[in-house]
Amino acid sequence: MTYTAAAAPGAFPLIGHAWPMMRRPLRFAESLSAHGDLVEVRLGPVRALVPCHPELLWQVLTDDRVFDKGGPFYDRVRATIGNGVGSCPHAEHRRQRRLIQPAFHPARLERYAPVMEEEAAALTERWEAGQVIDAYRALYGAALRTVLRSLFATRVGDEAVARFGESVETVLNQLTARMFLPRPLRRLPLPVNRCFERAVADLRRRIDALVADYRRGGADRGDLLSSLIAAHDESAVHDESAVGGARGHLDGLDDTEIHDQVLTLLAAGSDSVAATVSWALHLLDAHPEALATLHREVDAALGGRPARGTDLPGLPYTGRVLAEALRLYPPGWLFTRVTTEETELGGHRLPPGTTVAFCAPAVHRRPGVYDRPRAFDPDRWLPERARSLPRGAFAPFGGGARKCAGDVYGLTESILLLATMTSRWRLRRAPGSDLRPVALSTALRPRRLLVELSTRDGPGAAANG
Ligand code: HEM
């Protein structure tokens, strides 16, 4: 098979494609596959190759030794959220992943489900008919509290959660922009930069204090942080090569590493879930038949009450709606890799140091990979239809060894949130919404999704579906 390569048109001097990428990220990503299977874009002065063919994306994701997390963009991420499992280079990744993986073991996930249930129920508890809410903001609050409470089961009160929330949000709002902004701009003594630095320092202080407290207590509190503290890399004894020579004996995570993992999980686990459910709400609002199907399923499974973890088997359509939202609007829409040696991708030679961009919507929205790629069709995720998709066609959680560690956690939480929200409430898009994705935010999310609430058991409920 031959794969075509081309350069994307429309690059400006100096900034390259930064302008269309910031203004219309999805439209830009979607346009790329028309030029070829491997398309060169310019991220400012850096040239990056975007795989637009599922097979090429698969190769990049699964060969993470050659297509590594590195280069100037990752240096900047590490300077902010540290060298955790999501940002560390391949040489350190396997050890880190082994150490955090027990925190996502199915038995642990069962313990987090009650937190997800409570937060989903609390989100809708004070809703009133006629009220207009900013859906993303509400969901972000719920998702952040869920991940914080999963991390620190017993120790974080409401006020501390709110403070954590502010700092995490400040960091997340600027993380991606700072990846691509030139250094002098990031260093200027501007309020925005000072605010960012204060938020990073605040998070560091808070997390370090919690870790110290847990270490003193010693007990397993059944939460993520206990699991990180208890983790021991037993396989390191037998598998020196996999740890890149970093450590070759039975060991765990030191305080700096735990700090970096906590920050990674807070950053990875909050806005991604909020963005996924926000896009699903938007899509359902625009597709009344799909909303009616969802309502039927949610009614049969929940009968008007909030969702519980045990309801998941009765909510397959809700899951398909979310999968389709993740295909059309993958929150993690742009990540980079750098080649560590000369390699070949789709028949094209790449010298070491080549930047490759993992941009899921370039494949997710490609005609030919998906039938009617722009259409919202949750049933394309029925097993008999999804089976024929090529590998690499659906990568909202990445793939290979660096695939999202929180995929099951994030999907479970998203299903519980969406089912609980729609169980008693009808959410209609209200005027003042702006569905364009936020420019350069860490997760692809709508600028403002305002929804008006009405109860589904009120007058007109039957007509509303
Ligand atoms: C629907 C929600 C979510 C989406 C769409 C999502 C997406 C992703 C993607 C695309 C990656 C891979 C990035 C790359 O290859 O460069 C990733 C990695 C990661 N995610 Fe998620 N994520 C979600 C939820 C979560 C949650 C809830 C957590 C934790 C509580 C989490 C933790 C992580 C971690 C630790 C990594 C790094 C994995 C590694 O490099 O080994 N994610 N996520």
Side-chain angles (χ1 to χ4, degrees), residues 61 69 74 85-86 93 97 100 104 147 264-265 268-269 272-273 276 326 331-332 335 337 358 395-398 401-406 409-410 414:
L61 290 175
K69 295 199 176 182
Y74 269 98
V85 65
H93 178 258
R97 183 74 188 230
I100 69 136
F104 293 95
V147 73
T264 299
L265 296 175
S272 52
V273 169
T276 303
L326 283 164
F335 301 92
R337 303 286 196 266
F358 157 32
F397 296 106
R402 305 208 70 140
K403 187 175 181 203
C404 177
Y409 179 118
S414 301

Side-chain angles (χ1 to χ4, degrees), residues 35-323:
H35 309 297
D37 298 319
L38 190 61
V39 177
E40 184 187 279
V41 300
R42 294 215 357 242
L43 309 171
V46 178
R47 289 170 194 277
L49 296 174
V50 183
C52 299
H53 191 286
E55 189 56 39
L56 302 190
L57 177 57
W58 185 250
Q59 186 183 332
V60 169
L61 290 175
T62 52
D63 190 354
D64 63 319
R65 187 185 62 78
V66 172
F67 297 94
D68 199 0
K69 295 199 176 182
F73 299 134
Y74 269 98
D75 289 347
R76 291 174 196 174
V77 172
R78 286 177 199 137
T80 305
I81 60 165
N83 194 35
V85 65
S87 48
C88 68
H90 172 267
E92 296 164 46
H93 178 258
R94 297 301 189 271
R95 169 179 169 271
Q96 290 211 24
R97 183 74 188 230
R98 276 199 298 269
L99 286 164
I100 69 136
Q101 200 60 43
F104 293 95
H105 188 273
R108 285 270 168 183
L109 287 175
E110 272 174 31
R111 297 210 205 175
Y112 310 142
V115 175
M116 296 178 185
E117 292 166 12
E118 277 173 38
E119 288 299 334
L123 172 68
T124 57
E125 214 165 58
R126 285 195 212 100
W127 282 2
E128 283 173 18
Q131 193 184 346
V132 174
I133 60 160
D134 180 329
Y136 175 79
R137 294 235 62 76
L139 284 160
Y140 175 74
L144 184 67
R145 273 193 302 276
T146 303
V147 73
L148 273 169
R149 290 184 54 201
S150 307
L151 271 163
F152 317 119
T154 51
R155 288 288 146 155
V156 185
D158 280 353
E159 202 190 311
V161 169
R163 295 240 183 85
F164 256 114
E166 278 169 33
S167 297
V168 174
E169 198 174 359
T170 307
V171 171
L172 280 182
N173 280 345
Q174 290 191 45
L175 190 62
T176 302
R178 292 174 77 89
M179 259 172 103
F180 297 107
L181 280 179
R183 189 184 167 93
L185 276 181
R186 287 179 278 128
R187 288 286 166 98
L188 285 176
L190 298 171
V192 63
N193 288 341
R194 277 206 297 267
C195 184
F196 180 81
E197 277 147 24
R198 258 201 313 273
V200 172
D202 177 62
L203 281 174
R204 183 164 295 278
R205 237 186 353 262
R206 284 174 189 284
I207 294 169
D208 288 350
L210 279 162
V211 173
D213 184 47
Y214 268 59
R215 285 227 193 264
R216 270 194 303 275
D220 181 351
R221 297 171 192 183
D223 54 12
L224 262 160
L225 183 55
S226 297
S227 167
L228 293 178
I229 288 176
H232 282 285
D233 189 10
E234 291 174 29
S235 47
V237 177
H238 312 289
D239 184 10
E240 301 248 345
S241 64
V243 300
R247 286 151 205 253
H249 54 279
L250 187 97
D251 69 350
L253 293 161
D254 65 27
D255 282 0
T256 308
E257 290 175 319
I258 290 182
H259 170 275
D260 291 354
Q261 307 305 352
V262 168
L263 211 46
T264 299
L265 296 175
L266 290 179
S270 48
D271 58 352
S272 52
V273 169
T276 303
V277 182
S278 298
W279 290 121
L281 289 174
H282 152 61
L283 289 162
L284 288 166
D285 180 71
H287 297 85
E289 344 68 62
L291 181 63
T293 310
L294 181 98
H295 280 160
R296 277 195 298 279
E297 175 173 282
V298 166
D299 291 348
L302 311 180
R305 65 166 168 77
R308 301 188 196 114
T310 47
D311 296 318
L312 288 176
L315 296 168
Y317 187 76
T318 312
R320 293 202 290 280
V321 165
L322 288 159

Side-chain angles (χ1 to χ4, degrees), residues 301-359:
L302 311 180
R305 65 166 168 77
R308 301 188 196 114
T310 47
D311 296 318
L312 288 176
L315 296 168
Y317 187 76
T318 312
R320 293 202 290 280
V321 165
L322 288 159
E324 186 66 339
L326 283 164
R327 181 185 70 84
L328 286 164
Y329 300 97
W333 74 285
L334 185 67
F335 301 92
T336 57
R337 303 286 196 266
V338 169
T339 53
T340 51
E341 59 186 46
E342 182 173 316
T343 189
E344 186 256 354
L345 184 61
H348 304 275
R349 198 188 67 79
L350 272 46
T354 303
T355 301
V356 178
F358 157 32
C359 177

Side-chain angles (χ1 to χ4, degrees), residues 26-40:
L26 268 181
R27 189 172 295 178
F28 179 72
E30 184 183 71
S31 72
L32 294 176
S33 66
H35 309 297
D37 298 319
L38 190 61
V39 177
E40 184 187 279

